[in-house]
């Protein structure tokens, strides 16, 4: 369950490492796998390794940017219609633009299969595996 102020790992190559949930789109309480939310980039990937000018040229987003995102993994257990229960080690998301297309071109790590029912097949096709 993702709610206000929750910190999530960003698992695409958009340039963000950690994002914070600022608003859940279309819901009041919490988001689960496949839900859309407004995210604030808290930590930029690779900013501490190289100079800021070099890192920001390759990254599509930078610290403080406000973007939309999709939840792809949650620590909270999710029960599927067939009775199985799935739980991941962390909370993770993928950044998207306002039209719903992913900002990054690659997804690193496993994503939940619930994205198929929520019509996020673009994210599923970029992911190496789904559980």
């Amino acid at each position: 369950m993702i709610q206000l102020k929750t910190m999530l790992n960003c698992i695409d190559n958009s340039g963000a490492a950690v994002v914070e949930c600022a608003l859940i789109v279309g819901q009041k309480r919490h988001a689960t796998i496949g839900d859309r939310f407004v995210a604030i980039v808290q930590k930029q990937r690779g900013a501490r390794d190289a100079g800021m000018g070099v890192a920001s040229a390759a990254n599509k987003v930078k610290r403080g940017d406000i973007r939309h995102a999709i939840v792809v993994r949650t620590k909270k257990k999710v029960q599927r219609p067939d009775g199985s229960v799935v739980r991941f080690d962390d909370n993770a998301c993928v950044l998207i633009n306002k039209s719903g297309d992913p900002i990054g071109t690659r997804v690193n790590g496993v994503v939940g299969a619930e994205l198929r029912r929520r019509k996020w097949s673009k994210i599923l096709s970029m992911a190496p595996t789904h559980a």
Side-chain angles (χ1 to χ4, degrees):
M1 291 194 296
I2 308 301
Q3 58 188 2
L4 188 68
K5 305 292 272 183
T6 301
M7 302 294 269
L8 298 95
N9 295 328
C10 186
I11 62 167
D12 59 2
N13 63 348
S14 61
V18 177
V19 299
E20 176 185 325
C21 176
L23 173 77
I24 297 164
V25 177
Q27 291 183 346
K28 292 183 181 166
R29 288 190 178 256
H30 57 270
T32 184
I33 297 176
D35 288 335
R36 187 176 188 153
F37 68 97
V38 177
I40 302 169
V41 178
Q42 294 292 325
K43 195 182 287 185
Q44 189 174 348
R45 192 175 307 277
R48 68 190 183 300
D49 300 334
M52 288 299 287
V54 176
S56 62
N59 294 339
K60 298 177 183 91
V61 297
K62 60 183 187 298
R63 186 177 179 278
D65 281 357
I66 298 172
R67 302 291 174 122
H68 284 231
I70 301 297
V71 179
V72 294
R73 293 196 302 245
T74 59
K75 286 191 73 142
K76 177 74 176 166
K77 294 177 184 174
V78 177
Q79 187 159 9
R80 294 186 172 161
D82 64 353
S84 62
V85 178
V86 65
R87 179 177 166 254
F88 296 100
D89 289 337
D90 64 341
N91 296 320
C93 68
V94 172
L95 295 181
I96 59 171
N97 58 18
K98 297 238 177 167
S99 64
D101 298 324
I103 294 174
T105 57
R106 182 176 296 167
V107 173
N108 306 319
V110 180
V111 300
E114 286 80 6
L115 295 173
R116 181 168 284 121
R117 286 197 307 268
R118 300 288 185 97
K119 307 284 194 270
W120 293 111
S121 57
K122 284 186 183 179
I123 296 172
L124 274 173
S125 65
M126 291 189 325
T129 57
H130 21 287

